Amino acid sequence: MTTTTQPAAADSSDGGPGLKASGLYSRQLPTYFPPALLVVCAVVVSGAFALFGSFHPVPAAILTALAYLVAITASSAAVENSRRAKDRLVTGIVYCCFAVAVVPLISLLSTVAVYGIQRFDLYFLSVSMNGVIPSMDAGGVYHAIVGTLVITGLATVISVPIGLMTAVYVVEYGRGRLKQAITFFVDVMTGIPSIVAGLFVVALWILAFGPGQTNGLAGAIALSVLMIPVVVRSSEEMLRLVPNELREAAYALGVPKWLTVVKVVLPTAVAGLTTGIILALARVIGETAPLILTAGMASTRINGNPLEGDMMSLPVYIYKAVRAMGLSGEAGVYAEERAWAAALTLILVVMLLFLAARLISRFLSPSKG
Amino acid sequence: MAKRIDVSDLNVYYGDFKAVEDVTMTVEPRSVTAFIGSSGCGKSTFLRTLNRMHEVTPGARVKGKVMLDNLDVYDPSVDPVAVRREIGMVFQRANPFPTMSIYDNVIAGAKLNSQRLSKSRADEIVERSLRDANLWEEVKDRLNKPGAGLSGGQQQRLCIARATAVEPAVLLMDEPCSALDPISTLAIEDLIAKLKENYTIVIVTHNMQQAARVSDRTAFFNLAGTGQPGRLIEMDDTNKIFTKPDKKETENYITGRFG
Amino acid sequence: MAKRIDVSDLNVYYGDFKAVEDVTMTVEPRSVTAFIGSSGCGKSTFLRTLNRMHEVTPGARVKGKVMLDNLDVYDPSVDPVAVRREIGMVFQRANPFPTMSIYDNVIAGAKLNSQRLSKSRADEIVERSLRDANLWEEVKDRLNKPGAGLSGGQQQRLCIARATAVEPAVLLMDEPCSALDPISTLAIEDLIAKLKENYTIVIVTHNMQQAARVSDRTAFFNLAGTGQPGRLIEMDDTNKIFTKPDKKETENYITGRFG
Amino acid sequence: VDPENQQAAGDVDCVDGGGTLDGAGASSQENAMAAWKASWEGACEGSVVQYDSVGSGAGREQFIGSGVTFAGSDAALDEAETEQATERCNGSEVVNLPAYISPIAVAFNLEGIDSLNLSPEVIAQIFNQEIDNWNDDAIADLNPEADLPDQDIVPVNRADESGTTENFVAYLSEAAGDAWPHDVSGNWPIEPVEAAQGSTGVAQAVESGQGTITYVDASHVGELGTAAVGGGEEFTEYSPEAAAAIVDASDPREANTENDHAINLNYTTDEAGVYPIVLISYHVACMEYQEQQNADLVKSFLSYVVSEEGQQAAADEAGSAPISQDTRDTLLGTIEQISAGA
Amino acid sequence: MTTTDSSETAEAPKGKRRLGDLVFANSARGAGLLILAILAGVAAFLIVQSFSSLTANEANFFTSSTWSPEGGPDEDVRFGVASLAFGTVLGAAIALVLATPIAVGIALFIVYYAPRRLAALLGYLVDLLAAIPSVVYGLWGLVYLVDELQPFYRLLSEYLGWIPLFAGPVSSTGRTMLSAGIVLAVMILPIITAMARDVFHQVPQTHREAALALGATRWEMIRTSVLPFGRPGVIGGAMLGMGRALGETMAVAMILSPSLVISPNIVQSGNQTIAAHIALQYPEATGNGVSALIAAGLVLFAITLAVNMAARFVVSRRKEFSE
Ligand SMILES: Nc1ncnc2c1ncn2[C@@H]1O[C@H](COP(=O)(O)OP(=O)(O)OP(=O)(O)O)[C@@H](O)[C@H]1O
Ligand SMILES: Nc1ncnc2c1ncn2[C@@H]1O[C@H](COP(=O)(O)OP(=O)(O)OP(=O)(O)O)[C@@H](O)[C@H]1O
Ligand SMILES: [Mg+2]
Ligand SMILES: [Mg+2]
Ligand SMILES: O=P([O-])([O-])[O-]
């Protein structure tokens, strides 16, 4: 083994604290350097923009980020070494990704919160739109909350067993072509456009009950078509994570396969399964198009019966409000307020559902950790 | 309760690959039989065929006969689940059920099968099995804590307790000590010595000293060559194998200066 | 190229839990130092602090000093990346990069250090490292096959080759043979004997015989009690430790009839 | 608007015991329908009307398939549809009742300009992308007073198939002659410059763009500038009265049966004070229903819709033009006759 | 345990167990088959319903871009999906190109860069964002985003106009395919991020430590052990996201100023996606109109299928090396 290892060579070239370091002491940028550099970049870029008289936050931010990335890479390459420089560059990029993504997301959430809060109160949550005409400063979302809970609840009740059992089949039982076919077609099913799912159920309903028969159940079935593949996919991943050793441990105790699945595999995976179900729920709870087609958009009163007539849901409620938003005068203003407030309501409902799911999952896996 | 195992002309395949060839042997009841041999020669594979665990591996097949006393283990009318109840297994890596408490882990064999067990009977089984496994003293105060919170050696002993709680006739152990420190190893060896009073025990080990210490009979497996199936080279009383084996191959392996 | 390691008053914490207490020791260059001790006494933890790998574990902290020759490993201006390049590590479970071929696995570290590695130089490094690791003959015809396709022992040797390919000054090995059969173990012990001509080697093992066979010096760790931190009980020439250790504790541990 | 006012639904003929009346169709009526629904349901306890504003086409289809009891449609049922619907109506007559008239405004966003005079030809050329600058002579000649900017014209049209488009295009092809050589349908006939979904969408697009112009249901005009439309010297701003006037100036459709009141709009009328660009949305119903309850509910609801109160409520809410007394009388005459038969 | 005892335990419980296993295994298989049945149902529905318009169609369904499927007394039934298919793929491609790298970046940030608490919070936020209805995304895009983007498009066109994508003239309202693509990207970002985050979490500690022990920097560790391991999962997530982007209806319908042309220019209004087209046309469609829309739905379905197959192909090609 020679003394001229690569790191030593790299080090001596930048003339650091000498050979004694043999690559260990490398000159490093102080920890305050990156943030300071960022501030400098921001100031310089904004200054330049101001000079040319066209300051706009977005391009300024983009240029600042670019300038920062170039500067940090260059200074790191000069002071440290090329590998650190690359590391710093990637760190910068990762933070940028975060910023790039979080900014619109936060903007979205805060927009919803700020606009939504104007009409969001107990009254709004506790009344329906029954008897409310567009220009009235009245009405609320209660019926839509009920509808959303009933429809997505039904969809969950339909999809979770089917999806979970399919995942169990694929992971635990599946062999050969049928398994391949199912995994492949589940993938395909994830791509069914929501509107096509809606049209499909409408056709089904026309076959069964004649035209114009919209109700909550139809909506729930349309949502199930969208939800099932997501449940299957995520559950599949989670079941695969359960180590085989545990299955073998159960088999070795003379436990039949199905009990092994029910009592060992599923409980072990329960946290992951919950995440999957939450994602699936998230996928459908905001669906609009299929619900308009299947559950209708006429309902203004509270209807908790999924078999009986139109059922309003929060996304459709928002959609309707958005459509009325362009009305001149107060009607448009109220519609816009309702749209945002309902959006806020939906987000809060989702948050509560997520929380509940987490709690249930924690309850189901008591002795973990 | 201990039973004899008779294996005749057993061949094991993974798909088209023959992993073990023509093994014929008898495992005596109330004794410890050790399997030794180099890596990849099919010890684990062979061991798993004894309680039909190989069926869990996709593509694994068996040709030959395994008799448990008078019962043909591979008879189509025999339920593999019942076979595994009779022939328990302990794995190389401890695998307690992470979602269960220590108590539930021990009683898992009954519980997972939805057997109704009175509380007192269950308590009794748990205590006896844990005592057998030399773990009772260490865990009796935290039976309701998760099993995954134990140290490696404790987990391994917990798995042994779990296996003995269902009172199998035979206990198969695949390198149960390879991840353990000497003290835990010692505890498990003591346990094996004690268990053999009631069980038929088969143990796979890489540790020659261990084989010499714990086993009554030793089977030496080896590969016929790379890519070829493993075979049983020689099986005899442990003393004989470690002092004057019949085959040159065995002697070469045994007298390596390792341990 | 081999270097000395001086540890003084080292304490390691996981969050609030102190895992290792007050260790002071010197690891000599061009020699093999073995760490022995019961499970959970902090051998792995201590080993990982030597090349700052503990920093990877969230919550792990260190108090004390580690000198590599004249260099303070924990000096704020020292780059942990550079430290790890100087002090390589081999883990208990072989961990080749699953997405890379055997060749790429070996050259992975060297590639990081010098982006522009000529093909011939790379070939040279790969061959030398694999020969050092006693694996060349077995894999030279399938260097482009995935590393995960090798047997356990081969994978472990592949990882050793990968570690030596970057030519570190020190090589830390955490129970490198615990999953291996005697033949592979022998191969790795031979390898260690050979490597110590150029490297400083530290090896954690549960196998007393192995410690006795391969090491020049042995350090014995033990727990002060359950829930208490591990400590270095005694460190001395291997001969001395295994024949007449100073401490009663050491003797108790050594003379267990296990191995 | 004060909620209390809505209860002032005059004398509504309610159905004893109430019931649910299902309707579906044109989205143009959505807001008017909300007003009608609120008042009618308020006046008649136990009566419910469910109007799914799924679109005229879907509404007609559901009506034909017996999914709903009445439909709202921006176009009268054509021959084939009428034939199919007859079956659904117990073999009785199917009627189109023009009870919702809404002016279509030509709205634009030009700084400092609230109103412009535009002739049909100029409107056609603008939307045909032939006149592409606001200071074009053709516009300037019609508006000597206005200070027209040198700015590109961005015409915005509906991206969805719509009754508004159909009526607007029908107007252009009648009134603008050769300047608008395209077929009439609910889809915009040429490649758009800008397009948006729904009345709200186009209004929004016009508001957010510059130099934009569109045609939109008058209730969505908001702050935008609007065109006074006409030929020669006479230009008429849209207003409910001016819009309603065109219905009276038009002739019934030739294919109409006795009780059917579909209209052929006369866009080229010379009469003064007529705003010619309107959308007429029909209520489509049967003269005879199978069930008595349905017949009663339809009768009750539609009577309210065409009543003075009903029309005023729609005008307040959706900016529609109340129908004239003549029209009301005709329609009521028909609605009276709706009945149930075996 | 006596011999008789044992033969009893070997035989007796057999029937009972087999029943449990049989029921469970078959209901699992049944669920799988049900999925196939649903899918077959959807496919059959699409094919049957699109049949009448496709046979009446006088134009080439695949190459034409006109849309007058209802015909008339003296008018042919003519419609084709060329521009719609192009727009659909274009929109989803923009979304994917923008979202995937950023999602990987965020996932890396959450798993390897952010402080733990922040990371947990971010993970939760990301899940939450996956649930925001597309109408709200559409609303936000319409009310807020397009106005913000429009000046930026001007710059883009001014400086990068030589690229056909940005050639201009720039839409004066900002309601362009790029805007739609950006909103779609924001919509699918949470999905891809969630999947990527999960797989990155699962990269075995040993692989990461292997890289670090060789003296890899954080980025080098990610490059050598995290990204290769996570690749199939990220691709899977991207496909889920792509599926959603391809099928997204409301947001596109609200934001895009569509036209049925094939134009590579994404800062100009124009192009249209299949899903949005269906949403815009369906309410007023009758007869062949509906049938033609469903035929378009069939094409969308086929595109999704093709994309998924392509993804599987990419993932499986390197299977040999993925543990
Ligand atoms: N699931 C499997 N599919 C295909 N081949 C397998 C499988 N499991 C093991 N093998 C092969 O069968 C042979 C025997 O493997 P086995 O695990 O029985 O060896 P072993 O003697 O237990 O080795 P070790 O001492 O390393 O545990 C080996 O060549 C191995 O590669
Ligand atoms: N990541 C961690 N977080 C908290 N505690 C830890 C962590 N890793 C190890 N410990 C604790 O630190 C102590 C020392 O563990 P370590 O793994 O160093 O033991 P060891 O001597 O290597 O044991 P073995 O021989 O079983 O490998 C143990 O009590 C262990 O539970
Ligand atoms: Mg084995
Ligand atoms: Mg350790
Ligand atoms: O009322 P519209 O048909 O124009 O939406």
Side-chain angles (χ1 to χ4, degrees), chain C residues 51-66:
Chain C
N51 68 343
R52 295 179 70 171
M53 275 302 278
H54 71 281
E55 291 174 6
V56 175
T57 313
R61 284 175 301 119
V62 141
K63 238 173 55 192
K65 200 159 179 180
V66 174

Side-chain angles (χ1 to χ4, degrees), chain B residues 1 3 69-71 76-82 85-86 113 166-169, chain E residues 1-18 21:
Chain B
M1 104 174 335
K3 290 187 180 171
D69 281 359
N70 307 324
L71 185 87
S77 72
V78 167
D79 182 359
V81 172
R85 192 86 51 80
E86 287 290 287
N113 279 310
V166 295
E167 304 197 334
Chain E
M1 224 173 274
T2 63
T3 339
T4 42
D5 216 347
S6 88
S7 61
E8 255 171 39
T9 43
E11 301 293 331
K14 186 171 64 189
K16 189 178 105 202
R17 283 202 203 95
R18 289 251 165 92
D21 256 334

Side-chain angles (χ1 to χ4, degrees), chain C residues 25-47:
Chain C
M25 68 159 69
T26 299
V27 177
E28 298 291 342
R30 281 176 228 282
S31 73
V32 178
T33 305
F35 292 176
I36 60 173
S38 61
S39 187
C41 66
K43 303 179 296 295
S44 303
T45 302
F46 175 68
L47 193 74

Side-chain angles (χ1 to χ4, degrees), chain E residues 159-212:
Chain E
Y159 294 109
L160 297 176
W162 46 273
I163 305 173
L165 285 176
F166 310 122
V170 175
S171 154
S172 69
T173 57
R175 300 154 63 100
T176 71
M177 198 44 126
L178 185 52
S179 299
I182 289 173
V183 171
L184 287 180
V186 177
M187 283 180 70
I188 65 174
L189 199 62
I191 300 172
I192 307 179
T193 305
M195 284 283 277
R197 181 195 63 197
D198 281 358
V199 293
F200 291 165
H201 261 306
Q202 284 159 23
V203 175
Q205 177 92 6
T206 56
H207 294 174
R208 285 185 283 127
E209 290 188 348
L212 290 174

Side-chain angles (χ1 to χ4, degrees), chain D residues 145-166:
Chain D
E145 319 280 277
D147 180 19
L148 291 164
D150 175 14
Q151 189 167 32
D152 284 344
I153 299 182
V154 180
V156 180
N157 61 266
R158 289 281 293 267
D160 46 339
E161 186 171 355
S162 86
T164 311
T165 301
E166 185 157 11

Side-chain angles (χ1 to χ4, degrees), chain A residues 323, chain D residues 26-29 55-56 74 158 160-166 198-199 217 279, chain E residues 284:
Chain A
R323 257 200 350 196
Chain D
S27 53
S28 51
Q29 296 190 33
S56 305
D74 294 344
R158 289 281 293 267
D160 46 339
E161 186 171 355
S162 86
T164 311
T165 301
E166 185 157 11
S199 302
D217 192 274
L279 162 81
Chain E
E284 298 292 331

Side-chain angles (χ1 to χ4, degrees), chain E residues 25 49 92 100 107-108 134 143 160 171 174 194 266 286 292 294 298 311 319:
Chain E
Q49 301 261 323
T100 311
L108 287 176
S134 39
V143 170
L160 297 176
S171 154
I266 56 174
T286 50
I294 289 175
L298 187 64
K319 206 166 210 154

Side-chain angles (χ1 to χ4, degrees), chain B:
Chain B
M1 104 174 335
K3 290 187 180 171
R4 169 197 313 274
I5 300 179
D6 283 292
V7 181
S8 34
D9 285 332
L10 196 84
N11 292 273
V12 194
Y13 303 81
Y14 287 112
D16 296 332
F17 171 64
K18 194 190 234 185
V20 175
E21 193 174 58
D22 275 344
V23 175
T24 302
M25 68 159 69
T26 300
V27 177
E28 299 291 343
R30 281 175 230 283
S31 73
V32 178
T33 306
F35 293 178
I36 60 172
S38 61
S39 186
C41 67
K43 303 179 296 296
S44 302
T45 302
F46 176 68
L47 193 74
R48 290 163 65 92
T49 60
L50 298 183
N51 68 344
R52 294 180 68 171
M53 277 299 279
H54 70 281
E55 290 173 8
V56 174
T57 313
R61 284 175 302 120
V62 141
K63 239 172 56 192
K65 201 162 178 173
V66 175
M67 299 291 293
L68 182 67
D69 281 359
N70 307 324
L71 185 87
D72 181 355
V73 167
Y74 289 126
D75 190 284
S77 72
V78 167
D79 182 359
V81 172
V83 172
R84 293 183 200 133
R85 192 86 51 80
E86 287 290 287
I87 310 183
M89 191 158 192
V90 175
F91 300 83
Q92 177 170 3
R93 283 177 61 189
N95 51 3
F97 296 117
T99 51
M100 296 183 190
S101 66
I102 294 174
Y103 185 98
D104 287 345
N105 257 293
V106 176
I107 206 75
K111 228 181 175 174
L112 291 178
N113 279 310
S114 311
Q115 280 170 9
R116 245 172 287 285
L117 221 55
S118 73
K119 178 81 181 96
S120 61
R121 175 100 185 88
D123 287 349
E124 202 178 293
I125 293 179
V126 169
E127 182 168 346
R128 179 184 50 72
S129 313
L130 284 174
R131 277 195 195 282
D132 278 357
N134 212 345
L135 191 62
W136 176 251
E137 291 303 325
E138 288 162 63
V139 300
K140 65 181 176 199
D141 297 328
R142 45 168 172 162
L143 290 174
N144 289 319
K145 291 278 151 55
L150 298 174
S151 87
Q154 290 171 329
Q155 288 191 15
Q156 192 62 287
R157 279 177 281 153
L158 178 62
C159 292
I160 293 175
R162 184 176 63 185
T164 57
V166 295
E167 304 197 334
V170 180
L171 198 57
L172 309 178
M173 300 177 142
D174 195 352
E175 303 188 32
C177 303
S178 76
L180 301 184
D181 67 312
I183 294 174
S184 308
T185 304
L186 176 63
I188 287 176
E189 288 179 6
D190 285 346
L191 171 61
I192 291 174
K194 193 168 141 205
L195 289 176
K196 87 172 176 186
E197 292 163 20
N198 290 313
Y199 299 88
T200 306
I201 292 180
V202 181
I203 177 170
V204 175
T205 178
H206 276 141
N207 186 322
M208 242 42 74
Q209 281 74 1
Q210 187 172 58
R213 280 194 302 268
V214 301
S215 74
D216 303 303
R217 288 175 65 79
T218 298
F220 171 61
F221 288 77
N222 208 355
L223 284 177
T226 43
Q228 298 206 347
R231 298 152 180 265
L232 174 63
I233 303 299
E234 186 171 1
M235 180 168 185
D236 215 325
D237 282 349
T238 301
N239 268 341
K240 173 120 191 295
I241 291 272
F242 279 92
T243 49
K244 39 182 194 311
D246 289 343
K247 299 269 167 68
K248 185 79 190 128
E249 240 175 308
T250 316
E251 193 173 343
N252 282 348
Y253 188 80
I254 303 289
T255 54
R257 51 167 188 122
F258 25 74

